[in-house]
Amino acid sequence: MLSLGLVAPAVPAQAAPPGPIVLRVIDGDTLEVRGTGRVVPAGDVARVRLLEIDTPERGACYSRQATARTAELLPPGSTLRTEIDVELKDRYGRYLLYVWNEQGVFVNESLVRSGHAKSVLFEPNDKHWKTMSEAEADARKAGAGLWSACPTA
């Protein structure tokens, strides 16, 4: 049989499902999402706690600004790219995740770097700790966000 050098068309690899879809921002470091089958089961509504950061609690200095910034970065209907660390959930049943938005922005780091959040280590989840602690040092030095707005930051 004579080969004509033709190659059968490649069968596309099955694409992984997209990440969770943002339903709402609860506060600066907590979201409500609908799962799509990666990390959060498809169709499930779940809370996500952004890893290695802490934003001011409701009513505290800079809490509204932190929540607003998170909502800008993660608007309802947008899809997340997520990464897990050692622990998948906290004692409250929230998913513990690192999150990137549709533009590729590492949201956890962005919130710290802009002074909307502090870096906080909750071991054993420490995959991006060096990045987070450096972002906080830069924000403090620049007096960004809560570092200049809040006297007890």
Side-chain angles (χ1 to χ4, degrees):
M1 182 167 184
L2 181 61
S3 171
L4 300 175
L6 299 176
V7 178
V11 177
Q14 187 171 7
I21 298 165
V22 176
L23 297 177
R24 69 184 177 112
V25 171
I26 295 169
D27 62 25
D29 53 31
T30 309
L31 322 169
E32 187 173 72
V33 301
R34 180 174 311 283
T36 57
R38 295 184 81 189
V39 182
V40 179
D44 282 8
V45 173
R47 289 196 175 188
V48 170
R49 174 65 166 79
L50 301 178
L51 275 170
E52 296 186 16
I53 74 167
D54 189 34
T55 59
E57 297 302 319
R58 287 181 192 224
C61 180
Y62 225 68
S63 66
R64 287 182 315 192
Q65 293 90 333
T67 301
R69 181 62 181 146
T70 302
E72 287 174 23
L73 292 167
L74 301 170
S78 62
T79 302
L80 310 175
R81 182 172 73 80
T82 61
E83 182 178 59
I84 61 173
D85 206 328
V86 176
E87 295 175 332
L88 180 59
K89 291 185 178 182
D90 67 10
R91 65 182 182 200
Y92 306 109
R94 298 177 298 188
Y95 285 83
L96 302 171
L97 300 173
Y98 301 103
V99 170
W100 286 259
N101 67 13
E102 291 176 339
Q103 291 72 41
V105 173
F106 183 16
V107 174
N108 308 51
E109 176 192 13
S110 178
L111 291 167
V112 173
R113 189 165 299 284
S114 64
H116 289 92
K118 296 178 183 180
S119 60
V120 178
L121 180 61
F122 294 105
E123 292 182 328
N125 300 308
D126 63 357
K127 190 180 286 186
H128 294 285
W129 180 242
K130 183 174 189 268
T131 299
M132 295 300 177
S133 56
E134 288 173 355
E136 181 178 304
D138 292 346
R140 280 178 181 250
K141 184 176 178 183
L146 61 86
W147 299 111
S148 61
C150 304
T152 59

